[in-house]
């Protein structure tokens, strides 16, 4: 059996989700040939990704406007047409090469293009959407999608149903994260130990990490601060320089130790990206959310705060908010940990893999 998962180069999370499902197949169904294509080689998509990152850094209002416009019926049609125009050739090449029994996408652009190909009769395999945020943007919804794998909780389901997706096409699997998060329980030391703070900016290391790390390292109580800068080399170098002033500060670049770091931490501080937040939930790790990107991350933050697993603050209020969390009775933080654990889906990637097999069965039976 062959499964093809298509991602797009807009941030690290879409590719991470695809790789998580591939890893789940390797662990649970090694006979399945699961391949991931990230479409980075499509020049127009690569330029769009660069424009997206530029807007996040320099004109977040522009990204917010585009995000909202893309959610209107006209915006969705235009995005679908442009996606097909841009990606059709590459997707047809991938489909001809892999001949998949099921195709999935972890970003709305390739998903919309796959829907257009299916409507045109150029794709007969079932198509699935693997949604990587807690509220699906309307651009995720296209005719001819057989299954939507979405975040846990009622909000995502209600959003899709309001957009006309029937309930039998919706699977509340959770956002797929590395199966490594399903292996071990939390390792945090408890209420009497020195708090361990984990500061992250996603795979790209976005946000003012050096400034936030300095504020946390100077808290008027003992703490340890671990910072993960991802692929942000500039932030990594600045933090290495700051480390000489703050012996309680540890700096990591791009690392595969996130499951361990999250299990050891008492509190995660950072942006509410879909993958990072899902990893934290899987570890029962409460969050302080700082610097949410306009659009999808603001919606993620709203869902997480409503669920009682996170609090949202401005950067200049981070130190005081963190102090307050550890000065109140430990039972309050323990309640957030419990809420996170109950909302977490550490086996999401394994569940998505199993459901993709189920999608393929009717097709295989007919061959």
């Amino acid at each position: 059996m062959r499964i093809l998962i298509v991602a797009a180069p807009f941030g690290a999370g879409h590719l991470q989700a695809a790789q998580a499902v591939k890893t789940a197949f390797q662990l649970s169904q090694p006979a399945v040939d699961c391949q991931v294509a990230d479409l980075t080689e499509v020049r127009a998509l690569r330029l769009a990704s660069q424009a997206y990152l530029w807007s996040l850094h320099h004109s977040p209002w522009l990204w917010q406007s585009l995000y909202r416009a893309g959610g209107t019926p006209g915006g969705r049609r235009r995005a679908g047409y442009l996606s097909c125009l841009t990606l059709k050739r590459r997707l047809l090449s991938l489909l001809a090469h892999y001949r998949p029994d099921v195709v999935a996408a972890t970003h709305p652009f390739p998903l919309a293009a796959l829907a257009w190909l299916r409507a045109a009769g150029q794709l007969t395999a079932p198509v699935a959407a693997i949604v990587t945020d807690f509220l699906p943007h309307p651009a995720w919804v296209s005719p001819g999608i057989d299954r939507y794998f979405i975040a846990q909780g009622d909000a995502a389901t209600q959003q899709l149903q309001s957009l006309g997706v029937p309930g039998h096409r919706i699977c509340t699997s959770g956002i797929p994260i590395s199966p490594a998060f399903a292996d071990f329980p939390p390792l945090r030391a408890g209420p009497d130990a020195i708090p361990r703070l984990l500061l992250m900016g996603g795979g790209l290391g976005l946000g003012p990490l050096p400034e936030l790390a300095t504020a946390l390292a100077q808290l008027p109580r003992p703490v340890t601060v671990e910072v993960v800068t991802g692929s942000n080399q500039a932030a990594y170098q600045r933090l290495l320089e700051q480390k000489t002033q703050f012996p309680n500060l540890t700096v990591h670049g791009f690392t595969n130790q996130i499951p361990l770091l999250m299990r050891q931490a008492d509190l995660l501080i950072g942006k509410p990206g879909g993958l990072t937040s899902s990893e934290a939930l899987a570890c029962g790790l409460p969050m302080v959310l700082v610097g949410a990107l306009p659009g999808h991350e603001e919606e993620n933050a709203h869902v997480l705060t409503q669920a009682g697993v996170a609090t949202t603050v401005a950067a200049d209020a981070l130190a005081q908010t963190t102090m307050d969390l550890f000065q109140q009775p430990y039972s309050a933080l323990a309640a957030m940990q419990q809420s996170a654990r109950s909302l977490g889906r550490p086996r999401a990637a394994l569940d998505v893999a199993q459901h993709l097999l189920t999608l393929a069965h009717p097709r295989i039976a007919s061959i």
Side-chain angles (χ1 to χ4, degrees):
M1 186 186 301
R2 295 176 295 274
I3 309 286
L4 176 62
I5 306 176
V6 187
F10 292 85
H14 305 289
L15 182 58
Q16 287 175 7
Q19 293 288 1
V21 177
K22 179 178 180 177
T23 301
F25 274 117
Q26 291 171 339
L27 293 173
S28 64
Q29 302 283 344
V32 173
D33 180 12
C34 180
Q35 299 294 329
V36 173
D38 71 356
L39 302 182
T40 302
E41 72 278 10
V42 179
R43 185 171 183 270
L45 203 62
R46 194 165 62 248
L47 292 174
S49 172
Q50 292 168 358
Y52 162 72
L53 293 175
W54 182 91
S55 69
L56 294 182
H57 285 289
H58 303 287
S59 298
W61 61 269
L62 176 60
W63 164 244
Q64 187 174 49
S65 299
L66 292 171
Y67 183 85
R68 290 175 177 171
T72 64
R76 288 164 59 190
R77 284 193 299 271
R78 286 188 293 273
Y81 173 74
L82 289 172
S83 296
C84 188
L85 190 66
T86 303
L87 302 177
K88 177 180 177 180
R89 179 179 298 179
R90 178 55 180 154
L91 288 175
L92 286 174
S93 174
L94 289 169
L95 293 171
H97 179 72
Y98 289 115
R99 295 181 294 113
D101 298 294
V102 179
V103 188
T106 61
H107 190 276
F109 288 175
L111 183 71
L114 290 168
W116 278 63
L117 292 177
R118 196 167 189 194
Q122 295 178 283
L123 171 61
T124 58
V127 178
I130 301 175
V131 181
T132 52
D133 286 299
F134 287 89
L135 275 182
H137 187 271
W140 282 98
V141 177
S142 295
I145 305 304
D146 297 276
R147 194 75 79 247
Y148 291 85
F149 297 105
I150 61 171
Q152 57 276 33
D154 296 332
T157 299
Q158 292 170 357
Q159 175 93 329
L160 283 182
Q161 290 180 332
S162 73
L163 293 166
V165 178
H168 71 274
R169 294 183 185 272
I170 300 172
C171 177
T172 53
S173 57
I175 297 170
I177 57 176
S178 168
F181 286 91
D183 291 343
F184 302 106
L187 301 173
R188 54 191 63 100
D192 298 324
I194 295 175
R196 297 178 68 105
L197 311 179
L198 178 59
L199 174 61
M200 298 178 62
L204 300 178
L206 297 177
L209 296 178
E211 292 79 6
L212 297 178
T214 298
L216 293 170
Q218 296 181 104
L219 288 176
R221 66 159 295 163
V223 294
T224 62
V225 182
E226 305 245 11
V227 190
V228 179
T229 63
S231 58
N232 189 337
Q233 283 297 311
Y236 181 74
Q237 292 301 325
R238 282 188 60 192
L239 282 160
L240 285 182
E241 295 170 5
Q242 291 175 203
K243 190 179 183 306
T244 59
Q245 305 171 47
F246 305 109
N248 58 342
L249 180 64
T250 303
V251 186
H252 307 268
F254 202 90
T255 175
N256 60 3
Q257 296 300 309
I258 299 301
L260 176 61
L261 293 173
M262 284 193 173
R263 289 192 186 97
Q264 293 174 334
D266 295 290
L267 188 67
L268 173 67
I269 296 136
K271 301 183 323 84
L275 269 290
T276 299
S277 300
S278 295
E279 291 167 351
L281 295 176
C283 295
L285 181 59
M287 293 166 260
V288 173
L289 305 175
V290 187
L293 300 176
H296 58 299
E297 286 196 354
E298 289 178 338
E299 293 172 349
N300 289 345
H302 177 74
V303 171
L304 294 167
T305 53
Q306 289 293 107
V309 300
T311 184
T312 302
V313 300
D316 58 4
L318 173 61
Q320 187 58 55
T321 299
T322 304
M323 281 294 297
D324 292 344
L325 280 171
F326 288 103
Q327 285 177 339
Q328 62 187 353
Y330 186 77
S331 57
L333 193 62
M336 293 179 72
Q337 293 171 352
Q338 181 56 45
S339 296
R341 276 193 294 272
S342 56
L343 196 59
R345 294 292 185 273
R347 293 182 54 84
L350 294 161
D351 292 341
V352 169
Q354 184 59 49
H355 281 285
L356 288 174
L357 289 181
T358 303
L359 268 184
H361 284 165
R363 175 177 167 81
I364 292 172
S366 67
I367 295 176

